[in-house]
Amino acid sequence: MFITFEGIDGSGKSTQIQLLKDMLEKRNHVVTLLREPGGNILSEQIRQLLLDSKEQVDPRCELLLFTAARAQLVSSVIRPALEAGYIVICDRYIDSSVAYQGYGRGLSIESIESINDFATAGLVPDITFIFDLSVDDAAKRAGFRSNDNQTKADRMERSGDAFFERTKQGYLEIAKKSDRNIFIINANDAMNDIREQVESIVERYL
Ligand code: TYD
């Protein structure tokens, strides 16, 4: 089973990912936990390029680097883990490219969907959770203002509040249009409530 977590920066998905992993391992499932971009040497190097670049990065270049990292992660880690019968949990996947590079940066959604499909050789998640909260709340949680260039925020995080507003709305559009199993989680709910929501949905598909 392949589960992905999505949402704008600061939406609190990492805590819930860890809680879900613990729950599944207690039930004797083998869990492979990954993050995008990353999860293998080449993809971590691409991550550094993307998040630390001091140069202006062209949106198309950004899209192709994120999806290149994804292609490597799918073929070297995700597919082998799924074939071994493991549960794979990935912090971000194809919907991040649609939300950030499509709705956020303004690239064609259709093109991104087709590049995603090419990069992953058609591998889609069984379940996707989208953590939804306001850009303001997300910024508070992440500890940065996205218009502020002086903080520890990485290159993506410095994209500005308007960018994150488009990205947030983009995630909601994705959920509305998709015929996959996508669940929107209100990230303002109490931690324990979110944990229960996530667990009960996953249990339905186990
Ligand atoms: P990360 O520090 O992992 O953010 P988070 O902890 O919020 O997941 O950095 C990943 C950043 O890259 C994040 O700002 C989202 C962005 N991103 C894209 O813009 N497109 C993509 O396809 C992916 C996978 C990530």
Side-chain angles (χ1 to χ4, degrees), residues 6-11 13-14 35-37 47 50-51 62-63 66-67 70 91-101 105 116 154 156-157 163-164 171:
E6 297 280 355
I8 56 172
D9 299 67
S11 58
K13 57 193 162 52
S14 341
R35 69 164 178 185
E36 265 213 25
R47 178 189 181 86
L50 277 164
L51 300 184
E62 185 176 277
L63 170 70
F66 276 119
T67 48
R70 178 166 307 133
D91 185 346
R92 300 192 177 285
Y93 190 59
I94 47 177
D95 301 313
S96 283
S97 298
V98 176
Y100 280 74
Q101 280 67 54
R105 300 275 192 239
N116 265 337
D154 66 39
M156 291 303 299
E157 290 166 345
F163 170 83
F164 279 104
Y171 272 125

Side-chain angles (χ1 to χ4, degrees), residues 72-128:
Q72 185 68 13
L73 183 67
V74 167
S75 72
S76 69
V77 188
I78 300 181
R79 275 196 198 276
L82 292 173
E83 274 158 22
Y86 303 166
I87 294 179
V88 176
I89 305 177
C90 200
D91 185 346
R92 300 192 177 285
Y93 190 59
I94 47 177
D95 301 313
S96 283
S97 298
V98 176
Y100 280 74
Q101 280 67 54
Y103 290 94
R105 300 275 192 239
L107 294 179
S108 145
I109 307 292
E110 241 173 61
S111 303
I112 297 174
E113 284 170 350
S114 106
I115 292 168
N116 265 337
D117 186 57
F118 178 75
T120 61
L123 181 70
V124 291
D126 298 301
I127 307 174
T128 296

